[in-house]
Amino acid sequence: MDTPIIHVDMDAFFAAVEMRDNPELRGKPVIIGGDPRRDVRSVVSTASYEARKYGIHSAMPLIQAWRLCPQGVFMRGNMQKYAAVSQQIMQVFQRYTPLVEPISIDEAFLDVRGCERLFGPPQEIARAIRQAVAEETGLTCSVGVAANKFLAKLASDLDKPDGLTVIPSNQVEEILHPLPVGKLWGVGERTGDKLREMGIDTIGQLALLDKSLLTAAFGKLGEHLWHLARGLDERRVVTSHGVKSVSRETTFAQDVRDEDEIRATLLDLSEDVARRLRKKGLTAGTVTVKLRFGNFKTITRQGSLSAPAALTKPIYTRAVELWEKAATGGRGLRLLGVGASNLNRHGGSQQLTLFAEPDDGREQIIAETMDQLSARYGKDVVRRAAVLKTKQDDDSR
Ligand code: TTP
Ligand code: MG
């Protein structure tokens, strides 16, 4: 295997933690998301495998889940607890390789290249990780082992829950081709429908198409699909080691004076920065705003946060204060940027500060849900303020 990648994903994560801590819940349909009698607008965060038999799944309106399974145990959930377990599992992964990329609260990619001498072949490392997670957290996970991220993630899903699947390089097509196109990373409902209209149901059928045909039909995504259908994926495992700041900026087509538009843009940028911090498992202690005027004069203003954060609200609030204090006095802005620095891994003593403010539990749940959705469907699918602009990435090392 050229670059052995392991993907780990906890099983029914929030529900499993509750069932671990309350043995009475074991074997029952447990639905995390709220009390359907009170939280009428809420959606299901997750459901135990017992509840999934009733057709209940993440993001389903709670009311609907209640109708499907009125005898289910409905719970609000406890983000602090899940975040603590999340750290525990990420720390387990770190013992096997420094190349760990957390991609959500219960999932990570591990690049285990070069770890064989210490821990044995990749499937042996995967087995050891499953055992360590079980022993240290009392929870099960599903693990995939393959030559790249796409295949490893696909593999971890093939034998869920509590499974371990290896896709050896010489069996990629055999395993991949019979699967439905929806299993391809980047194929959501719309693309899936379009492919099926074209008579393409399986990945194998897709693999028979010319690259040019796919690009004509789907643009850049088409080329990406052509690669995936062959089991090719060049993405590297990206860790957050050594990242000193995370920032985003937007250049306006025309100078902007409207304060509401500036606030909306700051919110949008703060949201991106916060998401990137969470993705890297980092918190920021300092916020910077960058302002460039019509005449290209550029200023930056920096301020610290009362507690290290990885959520939109504190970053946005500080960014607005910094912009207001800079008193741009109605001068048109050409560019606006938000940055976060003074970064720390959100582990150890930092952990609880993520939830320091009373309403942050909710904010955290919103953040996690948005992270999940954007990881699945692309980052522009969920936006608090739908201001879509071209942004420049700038992760300074
Ligand atoms: P997932 O790994 O997608 O789901 P899961 O761990 O509950 O179940 P599976 O065995 O299929 O992996 O998400 C991890 C947690 O993230 C999940 O337990 C709850 C939370 N979550 C939400 O809050 N909203 C969502 O829409 C999704 C997908 C997950
Ligand atoms: Mg999971």
Side-chain angles (χ1 to χ4, degrees):
M1 212 170 279
D2 23 0
T3 315
I5 306 290
I6 294 180
H7 178 256
V8 188
D9 182 356
M10 303 300 288
D11 302 319
F13 185 46
F14 294 2
V17 173
E18 298 304 335
M19 292 161 96
R20 174 194 72 180
D21 295 348
N22 182 355
E24 277 179 22
L25 298 177
R26 291 183 199 157
K28 292 196 179 147
V30 173
I31 298 102
I32 309 292
D35 174 352
R37 276 159 288 231
R38 291 202 200 144
D39 308 317
V40 282
R41 275 176 224 270
S42 296
V43 295
V44 173
S45 288
T46 193
S48 67
Y49 278 80
E50 291 82 353
R52 293 183 197 194
K53 290 186 195 138
Y54 296 85
I56 298 171
H57 57 76
S58 294
M60 170 183 279
L62 208 53
I63 295 281
Q64 194 183 341
W66 195 29
R67 259 185 245 126
L68 288 170
C69 184
Q71 74 278 29
V73 183
F74 287 82
M75 309 179 66
R76 285 229 168 103
N78 177 343
M79 277 308 298
Q80 269 103 318
K81 199 152 89 173
Y82 311 145
V85 180
S86 177
Q87 278 176 22
Q88 230 185 327
I89 60 165
M90 301 299 169
Q91 277 159 14
V92 169
F93 307 157
Q94 291 280 348
R95 298 207 300 258
Y96 292 88
T97 170
L99 298 177
V100 176
E101 179 181 359
I103 52 171
S104 82
I105 192 161
D106 80 328
E107 249 178 284
F109 284 115
L110 284 66
D111 180 337
V112 295
R113 181 177 23 166
C115 305
E116 279 96 340
R117 274 226 320 264
L118 271 174
F119 301 109
Q123 54 270 41
E124 201 41 48
I125 301 178
R127 202 197 50 73
I129 287 174
R130 273 166 47 75
Q131 192 178 338
V133 167
E135 279 168 8
E136 291 168 43
T137 70
L139 299 168
T140 64
C141 57
S142 295
V143 176
V145 184
N148 60 47
K149 283 180 160 183
F150 162 60
L151 291 172
K153 186 161 162 69
L154 185 103
S156 74
D157 201 42
L158 287 179
D159 189 23
K160 233 179 185 322
D162 201 14
L164 166 59
T165 305
V166 182
I167 303 187
S169 294
N170 60 358
Q171 284 173 31
V172 170
E173 300 203 335
E174 190 182 317
I175 294 172
L176 197 57
H177 284 182
L179 297 174
V181 284
K183 291 272 179 196
L184 290 175
W185 162 58
V187 175
E189 228 166 282
R190 245 190 26 219
T191 312
D193 285 345
K194 205 167 155 189
L195 282 166
R196 283 183 288 271
E197 272 167 35
M198 293 162 69
I200 310 293
D201 293 313
T202 67
I203 298 176
Q205 289 169 329
L206 183 78
L208 294 173
L209 299 185
D210 266 0
K211 201 199 266 183
S212 56
L213 198 146
L214 279 168
T215 23
F218 299 101
K220 228 177 142 185
L221 174 67
E223 187 173 337
H224 165 77
L225 296 178
W226 186 89
H227 281 99
L228 294 184
R230 281 158 184 72
L232 303 172
D233 176 16
E234 299 270 291
R235 291 173 301 158
R236 301 268 141 233
V237 170
V238 187
T239 64
S240 47
H241 303 303
V243 177
K244 294 214 168 58
S245 70
V246 172
S247 64
R248 283 284 173 136
E249 53 189 53
T250 290
T251 305
F252 300 110
Q254 263 156 3
D255 293 358
V256 170
R257 285 185 178 75
D258 183 72
E259 298 202 343
D260 287 338
E261 186 173 351
I262 292 172
R263 279 200 180 82
T265 308
L266 287 173
L267 176 60
D268 197 37
L269 296 169
S270 303
E271 192 140 279
D272 265 352
V273 166
R275 181 188 304 116
R276 295 178 74 82
L277 288 172
R278 291 193 297 273
K279 198 169 165 195
K280 294 170 191 291
L282 297 169
T283 59
T286 303
V287 173
T288 306
V289 294
K290 178 171 167 186
L291 308 165
R292 177 171 296 151
F293 301 102
N295 62 359
F296 284 91
K297 181 174 156 51
T298 307
I299 60 169
T300 58
R301 292 291 180 266
Q302 211 168 57
S304 53
L305 291 165
S306 54
L311 294 175
T312 304
K313 203 168 82 181
I315 295 173
Y316 167 68
T317 308
R318 199 77 182 99
V320 168
E321 282 167 14
L322 292 166
W323 160 66
E324 282 172 344
K325 236 169 69 192
T328 52
R331 273 182 294 168
L333 285 178
R334 170 71 51 95
L335 173 149
L336 199 52
V338 172
S341 55
N342 190 4
L343 306 181
N344 266 298
R345 293 224 126 249
H346 72 70
S349 61
Q350 303 275 314
Q351 174 202 327
L352 289 172
T353 52
L354 256 176
F355 311 99
E357 289 168 39
D359 63 341
D360 269 4
R362 187 166 183 79
E363 176 86 357
Q364 176 69 16
I365 291 173
I366 296 172
E368 293 290 354
T369 307
M370 289 175 51
D371 290 349
Q372 300 271 352
L373 290 171
S374 35
R376 261 164 213 225
Y377 306 114
K379 90 183 165 50
D380 286 334
V381 75
V382 258
R383 287 268 133 151
R384 232 179 273 238
V387 223
L388 304 180
K389 299 225 168 60
T390 9
K391 270 169 234 88
Q392 288 157 12
D393 258 344
D394 169 26
D395 281 5
S396 322
R397 290 201 179 242

